[in-house]
Amino acid sequence: MHQRTTPPTTPTVTTGRSETARKALLAASALGVVAALMAPVRAGAAPAPASPTAATPLAANGQLSVCGLRLCNASGQAVALNGMSTHGTQWYAQCVTDGSLDALAQDWRSDVLRVSTYVQEGGYETDPAGFTARAQKYVDAAHARGMYAVIDWHMLTPGDPNANLDRAKTFFRAMAKKYRNHPGVLYEIANEPSGVSWSAIKSYAEQIIPVIRAEDPDAVVLVGTRAWSSFGVSEGSNESEVVNNPVRASNIMYTFHFYAASHREAYLNTLDRASDRLPVFVTEFGTQNYAGEGANDFAMSQRYLDLMKRKKISWTNWNYSDDHRSGAVFKTGTCNGTNWTGTGVLKEAGVWIRDRIRQ
């Protein structure tokens, strides 16, 4: 649905869970000192100072769960998280720093950071331990700033998630073991399946979810859908295949991705219909074409955002980097500097999406 696998052309760069531990982490988040309770965060994404002026999203909402068709907080109230996705961390680690994450949490007022660990394209398969540690560093840093973290297994090519089944089991076992007592994680187990049947994706999900549940029984799991997480639309199908054959697991949501300049009425209508029957989380979208390039279509993007706001559908935008494409929010070269706040460092799409997150 959208191709982002080429290297950058810019400069290189509460069942089963300890209730006591979970409450302690929530209390720490409210004070801005989650990092003191977690493994040290290495240079590049250290925890923010303990000086919040208001309750953070994590402290205010606590453990999330799926209630009916909605994402709900610890009090059972429907919530919608709004935030950003990192680029692939093998390319744009320099864009995920103390300063950039402070800006995302405090200036942008983001609820959530999606941490995108590519599997191929120079990612996880080249250094499993290193990329696991990097993902944990960024998740820890999001938590330290009171944001939720989506742990994104960014499988893209090959499009069949089963091709990386063993790697996925290893990665998610490690991540779920680390965050089993933390209320601030959601697990996105397959970014964009493509060229593969829904039944094969469902089979993959039903093998990965138990691996996560064995360590972290309470966290929400996000399941990718067919045809680049379009509920099958990009390959001539629709949401009915999921509605009629859902994943056999509880506390899950299904993902939908769109790029507004390419994905028009059929996609918008699919999101509307699917969210009437299934719990949906839009873990990736852009205001440009399917490659995250070209002119922004803010009018179509706003139609999507209006729908998601009305139906309390959570979303994260692609992407929080200074990639040369129009879909990266920062102007090229920003990640080599130290200024992250305000609109002066942002591309047109960055200005627009920052404003929507702050609303």
Side-chain angles (χ1 to χ4, degrees), residues 76-306:
Q77 299 173 321
V79 296
L81 306 180
N82 301 156
M84 293 299 301
S85 176
T86 70
H87 203 303
T89 57
Q90 78 274 38
W91 295 324
Y92 286 94
Q94 77 275 24
C95 295
V96 190
T97 68
D98 292 348
S100 73
L101 293 180
D102 286 346
L104 185 62
Q106 298 163 19
D107 181 44
W108 292 50
R109 305 172 196 162
S110 178
D111 303 313
V112 58
L113 175 70
R114 181 183 187 233
V115 178
S116 295
T117 300
Y118 274 73
V119 187
Q120 275 74 44
E121 293 82 56
Y124 178 88
E125 70 174 357
T126 68
D127 182 7
F131 277 97
T132 298
R134 182 173 294 182
Q136 291 174 348
K137 178 174 70 172
Y138 298 154
V139 171
D140 289 352
H143 290 164
R145 291 158 174 82
M147 293 185 289
Y148 288 90
V150 172
I151 299 170
D152 165 31
W153 181 245
H154 207 84
M155 51 71 53
L156 191 62
T157 304
D160 182 356
N162 292 285
N164 285 293
L165 179 62
D166 289 341
R167 291 188 180 103
K169 287 181 176 179
T170 299
F171 176 75
F172 282 112
R173 185 176 293 111
M175 299 301 281
K177 184 174 183 180
K178 178 172 174 61
Y179 297 109
R180 64 177 301 157
N181 289 326
H182 204 294
V185 294
L186 303 90
Y187 299 91
E188 183 177 1
I189 61 175
N191 166 58
E192 288 185 348
S194 64
V196 64
S197 68
W198 168 245
S199 61
I201 300 166
K202 176 176 180 284
S203 173
Y204 165 84
E206 290 174 352
Q207 294 177 77
I208 294 296
I209 292 171
V211 172
I212 295 171
R213 296 281 188 246
E215 300 290 348
D216 190 350
D218 297 332
V220 174
V221 174
L222 309 176
V223 179
T225 60
R226 186 155 75 92
W228 298 276
S229 285
S230 71
F231 280 111
V233 180
S234 289
E235 292 174 351
S237 186
N238 58 51
E239 76 283 357
S240 62
E241 62 187 17
V242 182
V243 172
N244 295 330
N245 188 24
V247 171
R248 292 174 296 179
S250 60
N251 209 28
I252 66 170
M253 307 186 86
Y254 298 92
T255 68
F256 184 81
H257 293 179
F258 70 87
Y259 281 75
S262 295
H263 302 132
R264 315 299 294 178
E265 300 294 333
Y267 290 83
L268 180 65
N269 292 339
T270 297
L271 176 58
D272 194 8
R273 291 192 312 268
S275 57
D276 282 340
R277 304 289 301 276
L278 300 163
V280 178
F281 194 126
V282 174
T283 52
E284 186 177 314
F285 79 92
T287 58
Q288 313 78 29
N289 67 20
Y290 64 86
E293 298 176 338
N296 294 288
D297 188 335
F298 293 135
M300 190 66 184
S301 299
Q302 190 62 56
R303 292 179 63 192
Y304 275 104
L305 262 65
D306 289 345

